[in-house]
Amino acid sequence: MRISTSGTRRWLLATALCGVLITGCSSGSGGGGSDAKPQAKPAAEPKPLAEGALRPLLLSQADLGTGYVQVEEKPDSGKFDDVSVQGCPSLEKLGQSGDETMFAAKAETSFTYDTDATLGEELHSDRPSVLSSKLHKLFGTYTSCPTYTMTAGTTPIEVKVTKSATPELGDEQFAYTSTMELPSGKQVLKTMAVRQGNVVVMLVGAPALVDRHMETAVGKLPAGS
């Protein structure tokens, strides 16, 4: 399967592991007999926030402290547009969804720390039920195969995935850790997402940085989001 990584080349490998979102499945139960009682109308869900409303909620250098440098947005050269995955049928199926399965709105930023570590943040917004179903399926898929091979260009990269513990934040939490055998050596990345209402905070990067800053990232969301 091929995963589009357009717009996120500054942390390619992290995005290749978590940058494709899929539409969650839903199933309805049919009514019983003719004497079934009317169901109460469900409460209306909060509407998605627009990208302009998400951007002020992103982490900043002031939030992170010293040693962090925000990475300037650059046009995508297309060098890493295609990433292929082998050895994990569920991931191969996931890649067929493409960009059309993204959430309603998205904002993102990324930072380097002491020049050799990265921290990327994405904020997504949609109706809470949509966020929940997609996140459950997305993280379920990425943790379904303990090992697989990812090819960036012509370089095969062996990937090992393990589920990770999550803090008690927001309404739902998801996390996994990926260990990649790169030509330059081993790289470990942690992906963690916390849903609070109609907004999801997703951090990807060095595990210590993700663990250190998730509470701050969730704390920037407005109450009741």
Side-chain angles (χ1 to χ4, degrees), residues 164-175 190-195 203 210-216 218:
S164 302
T166 57
E168 292 297 322
L169 295 172
D171 299 316
E172 292 182 285
Q173 315 86 26
F174 309 83
K190 188 170 188 176
T191 302
M192 185 184 296
V194 172
R195 181 184 69 82
L203 297 184
V210 171
D211 291 339
R212 185 184 306 166
H213 297 296
M214 179 54 87
E215 185 173 357
T216 300
V218 175

Side-chain angles (χ1 to χ4, degrees), residues 31-45:
S34 59
D35 58 347
K37 296 181 179 179
Q39 297 296 315
K41 186 177 181 180
E45 290 190 286

Side-chain angles (χ1 to χ4, degrees), residues 17-167:
L17 294 173
C18 74
V20 181
L21 300 176
I22 53 178
T23 304
C25 300
S26 63
S27 59
S29 57
S34 59
D35 58 347
K37 296 181 179 179
Q39 297 296 315
K41 186 177 181 180
E45 290 190 286
K47 294 181 179 180
L49 300 181
E51 179 185 353
L54 291 176
R55 289 210 163 273
L57 307 178
L58 289 167
L59 291 169
S60 67
Q61 286 176 278
D63 297 317
L64 300 176
T66 58
Y68 291 85
V69 177
Q70 189 167 15
V71 179
E72 183 180 353
E73 295 274 354
K74 294 181 180 179
D76 193 342
S77 66
K79 182 178 179 180
F80 299 120
D81 276 351
D82 291 326
V83 174
S84 62
V85 171
Q86 302 86 34
C88 186
S90 57
L91 278 178
E92 294 175 21
K93 183 177 180 181
L94 173 67
Q96 298 171 1
S97 301
D99 292 341
E100 63 191 33
T101 59
M102 295 294 285
F103 294 132
K106 172 185 175 181
E108 62 182 320
T109 188
S110 64
F111 303 84
T112 59
Y113 178 68
D114 285 349
T115 71
D116 61 352
T118 61
L119 178 67
E121 180 187 21
E122 292 184 1
L123 294 178
H124 297 275
S125 186
D126 213 313
R127 290 181 292 111
S129 62
V130 173
L131 293 176
S132 180
S133 66
K134 286 187 178 183
L135 286 169
H136 275 281
K137 194 166 186 179
L138 174 67
F139 278 79
T141 298
Y142 273 104
T143 56
S144 65
C145 298
T147 61
Y148 62 90
T149 301
M150 179 175 67
T151 303
T154 59
T155 303
I157 300 167
E158 298 302 316
V159 183
K160 296 181 180 179
V161 179
T162 57
K163 294 182 179 180
S164 302
T166 57

